[in-house]
Amino acid sequence: MRLFHPLAFVLVILSSLANASVTVYYQVPLAASTTTTATSANYTGAAAYDPTVLTPPPVPAGLTTQFGIQLSSSSAAVQGLSIPQKGSFMGFSIEFTVVNQIFGVNATYLQVPFLNLMALLRERAGEVHIRVGGNTQETAVLVDSLPGGVMVAKEHGTTNDVTATPTLLYTAEVFYTMANISALVNTKWFLGIPFNDTNNLRLGIAEVGEAVLSGPGYLLGFQVGNEPDLYAAHQNRPSTYSPSDYFGEFGVVVNAVNNDVNIPVKNNLVAPSITGKWTPESVWDTGLVESYSSSLGALAVEHYPTDNCYALYGIGSPVIPQDVFQNFLNHTSGINIIAPYLNSTNYAQATGKPFIMMETNTASCGGLPGISDTFGATLWALDFGLQMAYSNFSGAMMHVGGQDVYYNPFTPPPTNQSSYHQWTIGSVFYSAIFIAEAFGPSGNAQIIDLQANTNNMFTPAYAIYENGAPVRLVLFNYVSDPSGASDYTTTISIGGSAIGQGNATPAQIQVKYLVAPSVSEKYNITWAGQTFGGTFQSDGRLTGSESVQTINCDQSSNTCRVTVPAPGVALVFLSSNAYAESGNPSTQTFPTTMVTKTAQTATINPSVLATSNGMSGSTWQLGSTSKGNVGAGVRNSLSVVSVVGAAVLSGALLCTLFWS
């Protein structure tokens, strides 16, 4: 078995350069797919680019637009602060079948837009957490090789799952690809042990995953089962399948891992990853945690507030997006979703285990048109994430699928359009970058829901404390009102005689705004004046000039006044140190060249890289893993290779090698 080495790439050091850069060469396709323009009503293209626009809810009556926020200058006087949280709190759950689209063809040819996106988060949070899994982890099979040299392929019609989940075949190249991404942008990974047949366990993912990812510290743990409380409904277990049955099967995996000398780490399993059909308490009552505490690294659940399964599979009841849009546009949404888990977060703390939302997004079965890809979803995901952190979850993973889902934080273009189309960055990625900046890299952020404006559900606010002092403030305005009449101004005071403390309001504060014209807006979303643009417009870097507002405070009255537009969110930095820590990152990203021809370009012999951390490029093929494409990556043969460097180094040029 070849072992990952962080210098298995080509890396040329140029001391005169201040930023890392990489050029990626895409092959011009033989023919582009036909593009048609359609109205929202009869749109038949991929869900990721659906143009549906919904009507925002009406402006609520009687909204108070002037109110105060009183903060204690010391966390010792604050009741209900969360456990310490990391800036990597909001990560991503990436469906196993699309890793070749999102990560890259293999360990040598990586997707630069993805690296750029992760670099933005890494510079603010220190690291990025990603789970690779989903329904397809359950039937995944590790194989030595696949036709055409691809690292993943799907076999349709080989499972009886009612959601038509295919069997996924993959090679060890997946792990080397993940390791190389980690070396560049400090990603850390959750994987899933296949759980569809516990009589014939397939532990290859743990054996090879540990060998490649554990040593450098890139491996977080292994899920044991994905949504086991849905196994019976999906016809993957008998109708009587229960928490006690899961307890027994979990024990089978624990024993197998303990007896496998090729799995050196024995204490990083994650369970039970249920959706809510079973209560968490029903699983805890089996004695799972007490019996297998030494094997458990974390406790986890998965939850979506609603679903679109009827539209896809005829399961459940129809959901009309316009009717439920308002449900996402208030503070009570996140509170109600989390309420059933509050006992479990307390239980996790008592047992010394982190509690993780391993998969979530706006709606299961791909999300909802006109909701999942809008600024309304940005606000919802951000508030939901903050509420989870306040409620002592230790992380949350926003799910990412293929072209046929509405909720993706990021979507690469269809393979046959990759030479002239860039990526599409979804609205909830803005939520992730906001949380990374709000929590920062210290790992000591503690969150409190302030129940602001007499706990008004349209204007929630959170304070973030670090090392005993308030450092940042998050102010929401869910109202969609272009007139400006629903913009509000809050007067902030830190300490002061009103709460028996000395005045602690600073002389000035910095404010960044996350805004859009409407909650229905899909792409005209800006974070501190910068944006990822619209459909097919992003290389993973923010564009535009950054705009950070400096507000002078009145220290004589111990107050600062901040206005929040409708709709929008403000991130308020309460000190220059807080702003310097996460609000002013110096992100090194990876500029790309989108198209080049092989004429008049340098070439090398493919044998030079034959033994590198990758495969011979002469056999590479690209394809789609979207719904309806059986070939899972068996089209558009590549004639070029990109090699990116093993680390984002100041003064380093990450070189590209290619051949025709």
Side-chain angles (χ1 to χ4, degrees):
M1 177 183 296
R2 55 183 180 155
L3 296 178
F4 164 77
H5 191 283
L7 295 180
F9 303 102
V10 175
L11 179 63
V12 177
I13 306 298
L14 296 179
S15 59
S16 62
L17 294 181
N19 292 299
S21 62
V22 63
T23 302
V24 171
Y25 296 89
Y26 296 90
Q27 181 189 28
V28 177
L30 296 176
S33 62
T34 301
T35 301
T36 58
T37 302
T39 63
S40 300
N42 62 4
Y43 175 75
T44 58
Y49 318 110
D50 190 302
T52 299
V53 176
L54 302 180
T55 302
V59 175
L63 181 70
T64 300
T65 58
Q66 300 280 338
F67 58 90
I69 290 179
Q70 174 69 64
L71 299 177
S72 170
S73 61
S74 170
S75 63
V78 181
Q79 298 296 315
L81 275 173
S82 75
I83 60 174
Q85 301 287 8
K86 296 180 178 180
S88 56
F89 182 91
M90 182 170 281
F92 306 102
S93 163
I94 298 178
E95 192 67 41
F96 206 155
T97 48
V98 300
V99 294
N100 61 338
Q101 295 183 15
I102 292 172
F103 297 164
V105 176
N106 56 33
T108 309
Y109 185 100
L110 302 178
Q111 284 277 22
V112 169
F114 178 72
L115 296 178
N116 284 341
L117 292 169
M118 297 305 103
L120 289 170
L121 297 174
R122 187 275 312 273
E123 291 302 318
R124 290 159 170 80
E127 62 187 31
V128 185
H129 290 183
I130 299 177
R131 173 257 193 153
V132 173
N135 287 337
T136 48
Q137 77 185 41
E138 301 286 51
T139 57
V141 178
L142 177 63
V143 296
D144 292 335
S145 63
L146 288 166
V150 299
M151 66 180 183
V152 295
K154 292 190 293 188
E155 285 190 345
H156 286 267
T158 55
T159 68
N160 295 320
D161 192 302
V162 297
T163 60
T165 301
T167 294
L168 179 72
L169 306 179
Y170 69 100
T171 72
E173 193 71 14
V174 170
F175 305 114
Y176 294 108
T177 300
M178 293 163 64
N180 289 348
I181 291 169
S182 296
L184 287 162
V185 289
N186 201 26
T187 50
K188 297 183 179 180
W189 310 90
F190 287 103
L191 298 169
I193 294 173
F195 205 61
N196 66 320
D197 184 359
T198 52
N199 291 320
N200 299 282
L201 286 173
R202 302 186 301 283
L203 297 178
I205 194 168
E207 294 170 347
V208 183
E210 289 280 4
V212 177
L213 299 171
S214 187
Y218 301 147
L219 184 62
L220 295 172
F222 295 99
Q223 273 189 289
V224 180
N226 177 69
E227 302 175 343
D229 52 339
L230 297 182
Y231 284 170
H234 291 174
Q235 302 174 11
N236 295 324
R237 293 292 195 280
S239 60
T240 57
Y241 192 74
S242 68
S244 61
D245 295 314
Y246 175 78
F247 171 85
E249 291 192 300
F250 184 86
V252 171
V253 174
V254 169
N255 292 334
V257 168
N258 288 339
N259 292 326
D260 192 328
V261 297
N262 294 317
I263 305 176
V265 180
K266 312 292 186 181
N267 64 347
N268 61 357
L269 302 182
V270 179
S273 302
I274 57 174
T275 67
K277 187 173 181 62
W278 297 344
T279 65
E281 290 82 2
S282 69
V283 179
W284 315 145
D285 288 346
T286 66
L288 179 89
V289 179
E290 291 81 4
S291 298
Y292 299 115
S293 180
S294 61
S295 298
L296 281 165
L299 308 181
V301 293
E302 302 179 14
H303 190 92
Y304 293 80
T306 186
D307 68 79
N308 196 29
C309 297
Y310 185 87
L312 268 67
Y313 309 114
I315 300 172
S317 302
V319 175
I320 300 173
Q322 185 66 67
D323 292 348
V324 300
F325 194 18
Q326 61 185 349
N327 298 345
F328 291 87
L329 299 174
N330 61 78
H331 185 50
T332 57
S333 174
I335 292 173
N336 292 339
I337 295 169
I338 291 165
Y341 300 114
L342 294 179
N343 287 338
S344 293
T345 59
N346 290 332
Y347 176 72
Q349 293 303 303
T351 57
K353 307 295 181 186
F355 192 78
I356 300 169
M357 180 66 75
M358 193 61 73
E359 177 182 327
T360 190
N361 214 306
T362 46
S364 61
C365 296
L368 294 164
I371 294 179
S372 299
D373 56 354
T374 66
F375 187 61
T378 306
L379 299 175
W380 172 84
L382 177 56
D383 194 7
F384 182 35
L386 286 162
Q387 191 66 207
M388 281 189 281
Y390 164 60
S391 301
N392 295 330
F393 282 74
S394 291
M397 310 294 169
M398 302 302 293
H399 199 53
V400 184
Q403 301 284 323
D404 294 308
V405 303
Y406 301 97
Y407 54 46
N408 282 342
F410 37 78
T411 307
T415 301
N416 63 355
Q417 300 177 25
S418 62
S419 65
Y420 55 91
H421 275 159
Q422 300 191 78
W423 283 39
T424 302
I425 309 306
S427 60
V428 295
F429 187 81
Y430 290 90
S431 310
I433 199 170
F434 191 112
I435 282 185
E437 207 159 308
F439 290 5
S442 72
N444 294 318
Q446 292 183 274
I447 293 83
I448 184 75
D449 184 341
L450 297 173
Q451 301 181 5
N453 197 10
T454 62
N455 207 19
N456 187 287
M457 68 178 181
F458 300 111
T459 58
Y462 296 85
I464 299 163
Y465 284 74
E466 282 183 3
N467 303 317
V471 291
R472 300 176 195 90
L473 193 63
V474 181
L475 308 171
F476 283 82
N477 192 338
Y478 273 109
V479 179
S480 195
D481 182 1
S483 74
S486 300
D487 297 358
Y488 72 76
T489 298
T490 182
T491 301
I492 303 162
S493 297
I494 304 176
S497 59
I499 56 173
Q501 297 177 349
N503 290 356
T505 299
Q508 61 180 210
I509 56 178
Q510 280 74 41
V511 182
K512 288 187 175 184
Y513 287 100
L514 178 60
V515 295
S518 163
V519 292
S520 298
E521 177 62 43
K522 293 175 180 285
Y523 300 118
N524 186 15
I525 300 169
T526 58
W527 169 232
Q530 296 181 301
T531 184
F532 293 105
T535 304
F536 303 130
Q537 291 184 352
S538 181
D539 66 359
R541 294 179 292 176
L542 285 163
T543 61
S545 298
E546 185 179 45
S547 175
V548 182
Q549 306 299 312
T550 297
I551 297 175
N552 293 320
C553 303
D554 184 349
Q555 289 187 297
S556 63
S557 64
N558 197 42
T559 59
C560 290
R561 290 169 59 85
V562 177
T563 298
V564 184
V569 196
L571 176 57
V572 182
F573 298 89
L574 299 175
S575 71
S576 57
N577 289 338
Y579 177 66
E581 182 185 42
S582 67
N584 189 29
S586 178
T587 303
Q588 289 185 317
T589 56
F590 305 82
T592 65
T593 299
M594 290 308 296
V595 181
T596 188
K597 296 181 180 179
T598 57
Q600 299 179 339
T601 55
T603 62
I604 66 168
N605 191 318
S607 64
V608 172
L609 294 183
T611 58
S612 74
N613 193 14
M615 297 174 296
S616 173
S618 61
T619 60
W620 295 350
Q621 292 180 315
L622 280 175
S624 173
T625 57
S626 296
K627 178 183 175 183
N629 291 319
V630 179
V634 194
R635 65 178 69 168
N636 290 351
S637 177
L638 275 181
S639 64
V640 295
V641 165
S642 292
V643 180
V644 296
V648 183
L649 302 174
S650 178
L653 173 65
L654 307 181
C655 287
T656 300
L657 302 181
F658 52 92
W659 61 78
S660 58

